[in-house]
Amino acid sequence: MSAVGGDDDQPPLPLPDDRFLNRELSWLQFNSRVLALANDLATPLLERVKFLAIFASNLDEFFMVRVAGLHWRIATGLATFSPDGMSPRDQLEQVSRRTQELVAEHARVLLEDVLPALVKQGIDILRWDEVTDDDTDELHRLFREQVYPVLTPLAVDPAHPFPYISGLSLNLAVILREPGSKRERFARVKVPPLLPRFVKVGATHFVPLEDVIAAHLGQLFPGMEVVQHDTFRVTRNADLEVDEDESEDLIEALERELLRRRFGPPVRLEVEDTMSPHVLDLLIRELNISEGDVYRVTGPLDLSGLWAIHALDRPELKDPLFVPVTQPRLAQADATKRRSMFAVLRDGDIVVHHPYDSFATSVTAFVAEAAADPSVLAIKQTLYRTSGESPIVDALIDAAESGKQVVVVVEIKARFDEVANIRWARALEQAGCHVVYGLVGLKTHCKAALVVRQEPDGLRRYSHIGTGNYNPKTARLYEDIGILTADAEIGADLSDLFNQLTGYSHHADYRRLLVAPQSLRRGVIDRIEREIEHHQAGRPAGIVFKLNSLVDEQVVDALYSASRTGVPVDLLIRGMCVARPGVPGLSESLRARSIVGRFLEHSRILYFTNGSDDECWIGSADMMHRNLDRRVEVLMMVCGDTARGQLRDTLEL
């Protein structure tokens, strides 16, 4: 037990051992809230389909990373206990139990609620035995022309070992028999991943691709009797381990590791609930997976493919079209065409709240204007994730080709975006940009851009710091905050930060920034403890955190300490939250809420009442070990009264 809290007259009381919730189970609760949106009749029908797809893809990544990590700890004998006191094996058992419940509910919502509602709107997802004769003829032709040529049936016998099953691939397990023989044989047919998950027949009829293949198995195994077929899917460990200290070329090392990702050990086997026991036993044995990692699913597997249904042109079944607006101060400057964005920023900071404020006319325009401005001497920027066709990358390339100094810190280890980031890094290098990959052992996750401009009175620095990636596509779907500023101290801080990222600087003292891993955790805890002092002195005190995740035990214990003294603590945590709210004697003044809706809540805002001298911070960091210890993260103090007031209003909403 650790001791935190208390007053001047009494020794601090020990904190209870059971004060933390389990982070994995907390994440599953977040995904259950996504599923709740699919089950909500107030959600437009095709948006319900979208949330079913999001739930499925979320769960895939959870198993590839988080559950895979638990398996790895067990396999390597690392019997470390989670902060809530569970062993890896205990966590796996509870995760499996909760996931089984959610998977069953996921299937129920689809089959009993969403599919019947789609039928009423003339949209059908049909199994093969429900397809009409006319549609059957079309599917026969489609199979012959587009599917059959890319299929590769793989037999399993003494001459053909059990094939490798790639992660997240959909497969048919086929049992065959020679005519006149009782001996059964096994074969595997992989469903081609580059073909549509649901085959469209007519305008609004869809058939799972595996059903189309299954109906034509006789053509794949001529002369054999098809006894039965079953669908299955394997999830594998997809976390990467790159030894940066031993790698002369980080990109080459990462490319080698990406090839290995396909061969990670299996952590989940999904099968349709109609699969026969002897086929399931064969898969469990050949895949070397435990029965606890098997998930029987009613209905089609891999419902992340439901995005194809959501893509239907049925606007009356979707959320109304949302069009971002240009931030008012930027709109005023754009309308006059007489003032540059830099002139507008000299008048004061600008808060942009995406997707409500347009990313294109704020952040993208900031980089593009800097690239085209002959007075701009240098642009420095971090890139963690960006889009396939990135106007920001194009602007950086243009800037380099025009002779400006362009420095780009590309995080090529951004999970599941590694291939795209390697491609961007090479394109930027070829254009003459200085491309670096951050600091050894740390991911560069901060979102920052710095522009250095020659002006009549000398050099001036302009900055953008945000909570979201420089990605125009996700900026229309994710809720994020950004600050555009000409503040000299912020500019000086970013200069120091980029020098640290590109050189051998060990700079740790910043004016307006908290930077992980050096100062961010300590800076946040110091400010929590300052609120305790304000409250005990009778001054106004209060804490509001808006985060994606709150997992770090030191920060949570500091919040418990604040709550025990009576400081109001309001937490808006979209995903994982290990703090237990409302526990007598521990967290009575602590409230925790989660917002899940049309846009993915992604901004991080920390607000401290600070004895009526309010202090507000925004940035890239969640309160998690990885963010605070193994990443370069930035929180920026918001100094302008107007900007701080806007963020306070956002939190109050």
Side-chain angles (χ1 to χ4, degrees), residues 548-576:
N548 296 334
S549 299
L550 174 62
V551 171
D552 186 77
E553 293 84 17
Q554 294 181 53
V555 174
V556 173
D557 278 350
L559 292 172
Y560 283 150
S561 179
S563 180
R564 289 175 122 184
T565 62
V567 176
V569 179
D570 281 312
L571 304 176
L572 295 162
I573 314 295
R574 186 199 76 221
M576 293 181 290

Side-chain angles (χ1 to χ4, degrees), residues 532-647:
I532 296 173
E533 294 172 2
H534 283 308
H535 181 75
Q536 291 176 331
R539 295 185 293 269
I543 299 167
V544 185
F545 284 2
K546 183 180 186 299
L547 303 166
N548 296 334
S549 299
L550 174 62
V551 171
D552 186 77
E553 293 84 17
Q554 294 181 53
V555 174
V556 173
D557 278 350
L559 292 172
Y560 283 150
S561 179
S563 180
R564 289 175 122 184
T565 62
V567 176
V569 179
D570 281 312
L571 304 176
L572 295 162
I573 314 295
R574 186 199 76 221
M576 293 181 290
C577 178
V578 303
R580 293 182 182 272
V583 177
L586 176 68
S587 56
E588 289 174 86
S589 69
L590 185 151
R591 299 186 298 175
R593 298 183 180 182
S594 175
I595 300 172
V596 182
R598 176 175 179 176
F599 301 120
L600 181 76
E601 295 292 322
H602 194 251
S603 63
R604 292 91 164 183
I605 308 172
L606 283 70
Y607 208 97
F608 303 93
T609 300
N610 191 29
S612 295
D613 185 15
D614 294 9
E615 193 172 286
C616 181
W617 298 76
I618 70 157
S620 55
D622 288 306
M623 297 298 111
M624 302 177 68
H625 303 156
R626 70 182 188 191
N627 299 85
L628 303 179
D629 297 324
R630 301 191 299 277
R631 290 183 173 185
V632 178
E633 302 275 16
V634 166
L635 290 181
M636 182 194 88
M637 183 190 292
V638 180
C639 294
D641 291 339
T642 301
R644 199 164 53 241
Q646 287 178 257
L647 295 173

Side-chain angles (χ1 to χ4, degrees), residues 351-354 465-468 479-483 603 605 618 647:
V351 176
V352 283
H353 193 185
H354 312 300
I465 291 179
T467 66
E479 179 273 340
D480 272 304
I481 294 287
I483 301 284
S603 63
I605 308 172
I618 70 157
L647 295 173

